[in-house]
Amino acid sequence: MPSVYIKTFGCQMNDYDSGKMRAQLAADGFTPAESAGDADLVIVNTCSIREKPEQKLHSFLGTVLPQKKVRPVTVAIAGCVAQMAGKELYRKYPKVDLVFGPDAVHRIREMVEESKVRRVLDVDFFGEDTYPFPTDVDPDDQSVAGFVTIQKGCDNKCTFCIVPTTRGVEVSRPAADILEEVRRLVDRGVTELTLIGQNVNSYGLKANAAGAGEPTFSELLRRVHEVPGLDVLRYTTSHPRDMGDDVVACYRDLPKLADHLHLPVQSGSDRVLRRMKRFYTREVYLGLVERLRAARPSLVLTTDVIVGFPGESDEDFAETLSLLEIVRFQGSFSFMFSPRPGTPALRLMDDAVPDSVANTRLQAFQRAQRRIQVEEHKKLVGDTVRVLVDGPSAHDEGVMCGRTSGFKTVNFPASMDLTRGTWVDVRVGAAYANTLRGERV
Ligand code: SAM
Ligand code: SF4
Ligand code: F3S
């Protein structure tokens, strides 16, 4: 039996694509390999969102390609760096057998066959009407948490972002296909489902959407919510600009909709938001947060923030810190701005913020975020929370780990035969920045 090892960098889109590739290759007898050193086929699924993840491709290839001298191994570069710089990579690494972008994922089986006779390069985008969303479900994934893609690409043009270049135009997937995949996952034991896309709130709104009669995002949420056997429904990522009151109302009406929303704000300063072309203001964002909390008072909010965007002043950064204090996000991904090839923000680089300044701001943001997380988590001590069991803790023997609907990781002592996917009640005894700890009740 041939074996495959897929190294995945980047976001849920790449995780999802890697799962689809595993599923398709299983049809040709490929089994999962423990490590790149054991595999007959090694695929690196790359991310180009910032410079750092992009560099990981080169260090990974540095460990894999020398193996070709001692044994036959097929090596493929997939994902966003391949899409962005496929031709260069194809030339730079003559020992790499395949280079292909996200739109070629559904062709993985034929490309691997073809690579037996010649090298393969496929970085073409599909036309929007014909985009073939792969449907196979990863046979080796036993998780109770499942992911279903509802759209590909992104039609926004946030000035810092490479995604529109690497993933192409936004295409919504037909609702019937989404529902069919959801049902298949639920039948296999998935109880917590995340709908994924770069800009899920604009699902179904675009001219290039799946076709006439397709639902809007809020209608889609309502339809998926009806699927029997599903306990928790999540989605990511949301753009605040496209989040209408119909989606806000879902937080009032749909009990299975998770108590957690990831709503990237990027900056708390209107001046910076304008230069990022995010098309909302601080006031609009805060108004949205207020309406969401009116609809679902227990809602936990997390966000993404970029510090050191070109032209960001101390005052602008202070606005980001003050927004954090007002909203009290319970988690965030924060990054120093990283200039990406071909993005409009490159034209603003005359106003670049020195790395040392951006780094000091990042540390200050992360310190404040951590303090808020600890303060918010301490409020839960003494409460009983419902936890969906995920499995044994990676660090502590005799301890199980699970997640609340509000996306909190909870550790608790329990016998190891407690089945993954069951719900248990845990009384919170201790709170840390990233986890809660308690006893079953
Ligand atoms: N589609 C989502 C949105 O609109 O917020 C997120 C897309 S991106 C995969 C995830 C995060 O990476 C962004 O929210 C942003 O904070 C960060 N990011 C994107 N481009 C960046 C850049 N050039 N430098 C630093 N961070 C970046
Ligand atoms: Fe990038 Fe903006 Fe699209 Fe998100 S919405 S993927 S940040 S262009
Ligand atoms: Fe990275 Fe591509 Fe996702 S650039 S964040 S893997 S869409």
Side-chain angles (χ1 to χ4, degrees):
M1 283 284 202
S3 65
V4 56
Y5 180 83
I6 307 184
K7 177 78 186 167
T8 309
F9 298 110
C11 65
Q12 290 98 336
M13 313 295 149
N14 265 12
D15 283 338
Y16 186 80
D17 286 348
S18 293
K20 293 293 171 199
M21 287 193 275
R22 264 192 296 272
Q24 290 174 67
L25 289 166
D28 284 340
F30 276 89
T31 56
E34 289 280 310
S35 73
D38 304 332
D40 302 300
L41 167 64
V42 175
I43 303 174
V44 50
N45 200 359
T46 58
C47 171
S48 56
I49 198 81
R50 285 170 296 278
E51 203 182 336
K52 260 196 201 149
E54 189 180 326
Q55 283 163 354
K56 290 182 185 162
L57 160 67
H58 304 285
S59 42
F60 184 76
L61 287 178
T63 62
V64 170
L65 289 178
Q67 294 175 22
K68 287 199 136 201
K69 290 193 195 127
V70 288
R71 66 187 189 94
V73 48
T74 304
V75 178
I77 307 177
C80 289
V81 184
Q83 186 63 49
M84 186 181 81
K87 290 192 183 112
E88 278 165 61
L89 291 168
Y90 189 79
R91 271 197 298 270
K92 180 172 171 183
Y93 292 110
K95 294 216 158 40
V96 167
D97 304 278
L98 301 102
V99 177
F100 58 92
D103 275 18
V105 159
H106 68 284
R107 287 203 329 109
I108 183 69
R109 291 173 63 191
E110 52 183 280
M111 287 190 298
V112 168
E113 268 311 297
E114 196 184 330
S115 73
K116 291 177 182 160
V117 280
R118 66 180 83 84
R119 296 178 72 211
V120 177
L121 172 69
D122 185 348
V123 288
D124 292 338
F125 278 126
F126 248 85
E128 44 260 37
D129 300 336
T130 50
Y131 185 75
F133 288 94
T135 52
D136 320 60
V137 171
D138 185 351
D140 297 308
D141 186 357
Q142 297 306 316
S143 173
V144 288
F147 294 84
V148 172
T149 194
I150 67 166
Q151 74 188 165
K152 78 130 217 158
C154 180
D155 282 354
N156 285 329
K157 294 190 173 47
C158 304
T159 53
F160 51 80
C161 187
I162 192 91
V163 172
T165 314
T166 62
R167 296 268 166 172
V169 291
E170 205 171 295
V171 183
S172 295
R173 184 179 185 191
D177 295 0
I178 296 170
L179 283 157
E180 199 211 297
E181 191 167 339
V182 172
R183 285 192 201 100
R184 266 201 288 158
L185 286 174
V186 171
D187 286 347
R188 207 202 62 199
V190 162
T191 53
E192 179 184 297
L193 187 90
T194 307
L195 303 177
I196 57 172
Q198 284 298 354
N199 185 20
V200 291
N201 294 104
S202 70
Y203 174 85
L205 294 182
K206 296 293 162 81
N208 65 24
E214 287 296 327
T216 59
F217 181 59
S218 66
E219 288 160 358
L220 181 71
L221 281 178
R222 286 173 191 271
R223 287 192 201 176
V224 176
H225 190 267
E226 291 307 305
V227 173
L230 191 69
D231 282 341
V232 181
L233 175 57
R234 305 181 187 278
Y235 59 87
T236 197
T237 307
S238 247
H239 193 302
R241 166 201 193 179
D242 295 314
M243 183 142 197
D245 280 334
D246 56 335
V247 178
V248 175
C250 290
Y251 284 91
R252 188 193 57 217
D253 300 340
L254 306 182
K256 293 179 191 170
L257 190 58
D259 254 355
H260 168 233
L261 172 63
H262 187 68
L263 193 61
V265 67
Q266 314 297 357
S267 168
S269 152
D270 284 346
R271 209 176 67 88
V272 175
L273 287 171
R274 215 176 309 123
R275 288 161 70 95
M276 289 177 164
K277 287 212 182 344
R278 289 289 289 184
F279 297 107
Y280 52 83
T281 60
R282 173 189 174 89
E283 195 187 330
V284 164
Y285 188 92
L286 288 171
L288 178 56
V289 167
E290 219 167 273
R291 293 201 302 287
L292 283 160
R293 285 188 168 148
R296 176 77 68 87
S298 53
L299 190 66
V300 168
L301 287 166
T302 56
T303 200
D304 290 348
V305 160
I306 295 177
V307 300
F309 187 74
E312 184 190 67
S313 65
D314 286 341
E315 291 72 26
D316 292 320
F317 176 63
E319 295 268 280
T320 299
L321 279 182
S322 94
L323 187 102
L324 167 65
E325 298 289 344
I326 295 170
V327 179
R328 293 185 70 78
F329 293 109
Q330 294 194 31
S332 56
F333 296 111
S334 48
F335 313 98
M336 267 165 65
F337 169 69
S338 170
R340 303 312 293 135
T343 55
L346 293 187
R347 290 198 288 271
L348 307 172
M349 287 306 277
D350 285 350
D351 287 339
V353 174
D355 275 2
S356 56
V357 175
N359 193 28
T360 307
R361 289 179 189 164
L362 186 67
Q363 305 299 323
F365 181 87
Q366 292 180 344
R367 260 196 315 277
Q369 175 64 75
R370 201 177 161 82
R371 171 180 49 74
I372 290 173
Q373 272 167 233
V374 173
E375 286 167 3
E376 290 299 315
H377 288 174
K378 287 227 154 102
K379 291 180 187 165
L380 295 170
V381 172
D383 286 2
T384 297
V385 291
R386 276 194 86 210
V387 178
L388 182 64
V389 177
D390 192 33
S393 150
H395 312 290
D396 288 335
E397 221 170 290
V399 171
M400 295 291 273
C401 172
R403 229 165 29 200
T404 67
S405 159
F407 217 57
K408 302 287 170 204
T409 300
V410 184
N411 294 307
F412 54 98
S415 72
M416 291 297 118
D417 52 12
L418 192 61
T419 335
R420 185 177 248 220
T422 36
W423 286 93
V424 293
D425 286 332
V426 175
R427 183 170 300 114
V428 180
Y432 311 99
N434 296 313
T435 55
L436 303 171
R437 202 179 168 97
E439 301 281 338
R440 272 183 80 182
V441 289

